[in-house]
Amino acid sequence: MKDLLLITPPFTQLNTPYPATAYIKGFLNTRNISSYQADLGIEVILELFSKEGIRQIFSPSIRLSGTSENSQRIFALRDEYLKTIDQVILFLQGKNPTLARQICSMNFLPEASRFNQLDDMEFAFGNMGLQDKAKHLATLYLEDLSDYIVENIDTDFGFSRYAERLGKSANSFDELYSKLQGEPTFIDHIALKILREKLETVQPKLVCFSIPFPGNLYSGFRCARFIKEHYPHIKTAMGGGFPNTELRELKDKRVFDFFDFITLDDGELPIELLHENISRKVEKPEYKRTLITENQTVTYKNNSGRHDYKQADIGTPDYTDLLLDQYISVIEIANPMHSLWSDGRWNKLTMAHGCYWGKCTFCDISLDYIKIYEPVSAKILVDRMEELIRTTGETGFHFVDEAAPPALMREVALEILRRNLIVTWWTNIRFEKSFTRDLCFLLKLSGCVAVSGGLEVASDRLLRLIDKGVSVEQVAQVTRNFTEAGIMVHAYLMYGYPTQTVQETIDSLEMVRQMFEMGILQSGFWHQFAMTAHSPVGLNPEEYGVLPVRKEILFAHNDVDFKDKTGIDHNRFSFGLKKSLFNYMHGVHFELPLQEWFDFKIPRTTIHPDYIHDCLLADTDSFHFKGNAKVIFPAGNVIAENRVKTKKKYSGTYTVLTFHLKTNIVKVELEQEKAEWLMKIMEENSIASSKKITLKQLKIQFEEHFEDFELFWFSRPVQQLKENGIILSL
């Protein structure tokens, strides 16, 4: 028995658990509240895509008539699917790697329409490794089965979402409510069977559903209804990203036929109070940011005087109970950053609650999850990383920040290196000028493999209107710094921002083209601007040149329909922007005129063809003396050899310092006394040391023995050490 059952309903991700329940369970551990968690999504997928599950979907009793030629082919090959499905799932779970050779033989998996795209695979994926190629082929195989399920079994099915259309901008509860009155679907029956098993085993007093996306909203409601019908003594609550952004103006009391409570924003204290109210049967219960019904009316209750917990006090995420070794890695599309999302298991952590910038006009900056900024100390973060490595066996980390703070990233990297941890990590950033070449190199040393950040519209006018706080030139320089350090860069790209002209869209595409051609971007994704109710644009649309289409809000409210006063149809640009980006990501067709990507007339770009190249040349930061910069010496493998130099009448000693780095050898010559001083300084201020010396302090120490520190600091030997990451100035 456990007090709470924490559930993520179908579906979110196939390769790793959505972290919300693990965060809450970690917190509940600190309060000695017993809990059990389950990701129904992966459990349903594993039951559906098993020999027995596939046998059921091919059962003549549920197979619909009038199927397409593709479905007929899949049904005809049903014995091949039954024969291969269990082994394919094991392979995607990383438990049967030798199957890759059979899969790649192209005579093992049954093939339907998804395999028609294979003609483009070599272009899309290049000479990918055997395992990755096999994962992609196995993904196509599953997608064929998914197409069959959508056509014949359940039109709302999707691997990472279920009945998503019912939750997207659903201002009324009517359509979702109507579907919930109908009979459970084939997918529902699987989910509810698993849910019943959990309820019988755990016997909770309260079931908390994490609903991060519209794609697991319907299933959450279906599960909650099942509990109300069969276990009426158990209370139900909903929290997570969807209610936090969509249900703040909820008025339809029918929602509470399914859920007793809906909590908003940070869930730790609201759930603790719900537990206290239920377990102790409090006469006058206290609530924190919780929606309930009182007198047949939806009521917002926030009558607790207790403050939310600090991020340092919420504990380490706890992934206990989740089937960590049974998630499956898939490779769907040829986008380097998207493959990080879907391939491999990641422990998820947060460096800082909220966003330290908190100004972007398209973002939900009025909501707590953005506006309340609270970082966690590097020591606590790396403590949590070590604890997660011990409990999960995984060394991969995805920091799920809105924007990870550069200074904290630096401290985390140093702490990782001090503890000699071998980890792989990635996160979301802003393209701050703080990401110097040296900081990027340090992040790489600590295990950072990728960053994603918003370039949005590559137009300085629109970046100012967005209040992004960066310029195109700055983004180019920062992405160059990451790329040269060996860290992959993904850019979020936007089109259709209010008042954006056709010329600005084309010029933005040209900026992006040049960045890929220069090799400073490796991945990107275009999305069309969407106005949300809680963003500055949504709150004050007239100031941004848009006219909102107002609707009565009884259920969900986030995305707001609008008309742009420019009258431009931005949808027309979608295909051309995405097609060009696909080519640029694969390093081809930079020479084509931009007109080639569109089937309608566009203006010529006004951007000079060398604009990004010139932006990179304009970066002269390496010769600025920043006295408050911290100087770090990562390399310790140095051999000193004293020599004598004789030239005509001059004779003197000098030292050759040889640094053995992982992939190369660096040799520099210094005067013997300066070489000895430098070696002593490097030993005292290595990464292993907790001491941090600034450039100004280094200058003072140098000039106690020698003259003109700047001449030494910018000399060719020291520059060579800096270029190879032997000296880092942060």
Side-chain angles (χ1 to χ4, degrees), residues 132-196:
D132 280 353
K133 184 175 181 180
K135 280 183 185 178
H136 179 59
L137 293 170
T139 303
L140 297 179
Y141 162 94
L142 291 182
E143 287 177 335
D144 276 334
L145 286 170
S146 173
D147 291 342
Y148 184 89
I149 293 168
V150 169
E151 185 174 346
N152 299 288
I153 312 296
D154 189 337
T155 57
D156 287 318
F157 177 73
F159 280 116
S160 57
R161 60 191 64 84
Y162 188 47
E164 182 180 52
R165 63 182 178 81
L166 295 173
K168 274 194 166 182
S169 301
N171 302 139
S172 168
F173 187 48
D174 288 347
E175 187 178 4
L176 178 55
Y177 186 77
S178 176
K179 184 171 177 65
L180 290 164
Q181 302 313 303
E183 287 298 310
T185 66
F186 179 76
I187 305 298
D188 289 338
H189 281 297
I190 298 175
L192 296 177
K193 179 177 78 71
I194 297 169
L195 176 62
R196 182 189 291 275

Side-chain angles (χ1 to χ4, degrees), residues 107 192 254 508 569 597 604 654:
N107 193 30
L192 296 177
R254 291 177 297 174
S508 183
D569 179 10
W597 305 115
R604 289 179 178 273
Y654 71 99

Side-chain angles (χ1 to χ4, degrees), residues 281-425:
K281 298 182 179 178
V282 178
E283 186 176 337
K284 293 184 178 179
E286 288 188 359
Y287 297 98
K288 194 77 173 179
R289 296 185 303 275
T290 301
L291 293 167
I292 63 171
T293 52
E294 276 187 340
N295 302 318
Q296 299 297 306
T297 303
V298 178
T299 306
Y300 177 70
K301 304 290 282 187
N302 193 29
N303 61 343
S304 173
R306 293 169 60 179
H307 295 291
D308 282 299
Y309 288 91
K310 295 292 184 183
Q311 292 299 298
D313 300 326
I314 61 175
T316 301
D318 183 351
Y319 287 89
T320 306
D321 313 322
L322 298 174
L323 310 178
L324 297 183
D325 62 342
Q326 296 187 42
Y327 285 83
I328 61 177
S329 290
V330 295
I331 297 180
E332 302 170 71
I333 58 174
N335 182 304
M337 180 58 78
H338 288 181
S339 73
L340 281 178
W341 284 93
S342 60
D343 186 16
R345 247 275 299 135
W346 301 97
N347 292 319
K348 303 207 175 191
L349 283 172
T350 307
M351 289 192 186
H353 181 287
C355 179
Y356 65 91
W357 179 251
K359 297 179 183 178
C360 296
T361 55
F362 60 81
C363 189
D364 293 339
I365 62 175
S366 66
L367 299 184
D368 285 0
Y369 83 96
I370 298 289
K371 75 178 180 182
I372 297 179
Y373 174 66
E374 184 190 344
V376 182
S377 75
K379 183 180 182 305
I380 290 174
L381 277 168
V382 183
D383 284 346
R384 289 175 179 174
M385 291 174 77
E386 288 195 299
E387 187 174 339
L388 283 170
I389 292 170
R390 283 193 300 271
T391 56
T392 69
E394 299 286 349
T395 58
F397 291 87
H398 174 198
F399 289 99
V400 293
D401 292 63
E402 300 300 321
L408 182 53
M409 289 173 71
R410 177 191 67 196
E411 296 307 310
V412 167
L414 288 170
E415 192 67 22
I416 289 170
L417 292 166
R418 284 191 196 106
R419 301 191 194 189
N420 281 320
L421 292 183
I422 304 297
V423 294
T424 304
W425 62 275

